[in-house]
Amino acid sequence: GAVVSQHPSWVICKSGTSVKIECRSLDFQATTMFWYRQFPKQSLMLMATSNEGSKATYEQGVEKDKFLINHASLTLSTLTVTSAHPEDSSFYICSASGSRTDTQYFGPGTRLTVL
Amino acid sequence: LAKTTQPISMDSYEGQEVNITCSHNNIATNDYITWYQQFPSQGPRFIIQGYKTKVTNEVASLFIPADRKSSTLSLPRVSLSDTAVYYCLVGDSPNAGNMLTFGGGTRLMVKP
């Protein structure tokens, strides 16, 4: 099956710093990538959708200036959490889709802890 | 949007067959039904996808009645490692918005 990787798998940072998370589709070209956030014991919440070469579409309530998404190639999307605060601590998960009719394949997730 | 409803939790024992039902009364003609499994601190893993009747793979079976207003994920002979949260999603494509809304999922606990 399709494989999606994320890096890093976990990160701890100080409040006010920025953190970049990478999402890669390893064996297929991802025309669309998605970013989710998941708090403990809760379901996944979609943050944004990104298509290769175009600006990301953010869900209502997600600050686009705080969560910068770049989808520069068909195999790589990045999420940068700018000026991170403790309330941004969460599990961030990306997924990728190879075509409009393809299902989503999820990465392993990145645990972000902001001190 | 095709909203889904699943039981919050289920308990089972090793070796038993587990059936998890998902209700999606507002499913549209073009919508597919997809099930994911998620372990703690991991991303969801694709299990199975179907449109109608029955789909089977090496992991599970998916039963969809003729009216498509519900679906049942069947896990044969579960083991302790099947303890996880199972999500049912409905939509016509990953880009269709409604496919991307995760419900609460069903927390399956398999006991020895």
Side-chain angles (χ1 to χ4, degrees):
Chain A
V3 180
V4 177
S5 70
Q6 279 184 244
H7 178 79
S9 55
W10 59 271
V11 57
I12 301 173
C13 69
K14 293 182 179 180
S15 185
T17 61
S18 295
V19 174
K20 179 184 285 188
I21 302 170
E22 292 186 349
C23 176
R24 294 181 185 272
S25 56
L26 299 185
D27 52 2
F28 68 103
Q29 293 186 324
T31 54
T32 308
M33 286 186 170
F34 309 88
W35 288 94
Y36 293 81
R37 180 166 53 181
Q38 185 175 34
F39 293 105
K41 300 294 185 182
Q42 294 186 22
S43 186
L44 285 76
M45 289 173 25
L46 179 66
M47 299 176 65
T49 302
S50 73
N51 292 294
E52 185 262 341
S54 60
K55 291 184 178 180
T57 301
Y58 291 82
E59 294 299 299
Q60 193 171 16
V62 178
E63 301 175 56
K64 61 180 181 180
D65 294 330
K66 181 171 184 62
F67 298 99
L68 302 179
I69 292 172
N70 183 276
H71 191 168
S73 77
L74 286 173
T75 59
L76 173 65
S77 175
T78 60
L79 168 68
T80 301
V81 183
T82 62
S83 186
H85 291 284
E87 57 266 29
D88 297 324
S89 297
S90 187
F91 192 53
Y92 292 86
I93 308 170
C94 74
S95 71
S97 170
S99 70
R100 188 184 181 280
T101 58
D102 200 4
T103 190
Q104 300 180 71
Y105 297 96
F106 287 83
T110 297
R111 174 76 57 194
L112 170 63
T113 302
V114 184
L115 302 176
Chain B
L1 299 181
K3 181 180 176 180
T4 61
T5 303
Q6 302 174 233
I8 295 175
S9 64
M10 293 180 67
D11 289 344
S12 182
Y13 291 92
E14 282 190 291
Q16 290 188 333
E17 178 184 75
V18 171
N19 296 309
I20 305 174
T21 298
C22 178
S23 296
H24 27 80
N25 291 318
N26 296 326
I27 190 169
T29 303
N30 295 331
D31 286 346
Y32 282 77
I33 301 155
T34 308
W35 285 81
Y36 289 91
Q37 175 193 56
Q38 187 182 28
F39 297 112
S41 297
Q42 294 187 29
R45 183 174 76 100
F46 172 85
I47 300 176
I48 198 166
Q49 184 179 68
Y51 182 80
K52 63 180 180 180
T53 61
K54 176 183 175 182
V55 179
T56 298
N57 61 23
E58 64 277 7
V59 177
S61 294
L62 178 59
F63 297 92
I64 305 168
D67 66 5
R68 304 200 326 122
K69 293 184 183 298
S70 66
S71 59
T72 299
L73 173 71
S74 181
L75 305 172
R77 299 182 300 280
V78 294
S79 64
L80 296 177
S81 62
D82 293 316
T83 293
V85 178
Y86 293 81
Y87 293 99
C88 160
L89 277 73
V90 173
D92 66 348
S93 81
N95 298 320
N98 51 358
M99 177 71 92
L100 309 179
T101 302
F102 278 76
T106 298
R107 192 172 297 272
L108 173 65
M109 173 70 73
V110 180
K111 303 175 182 178

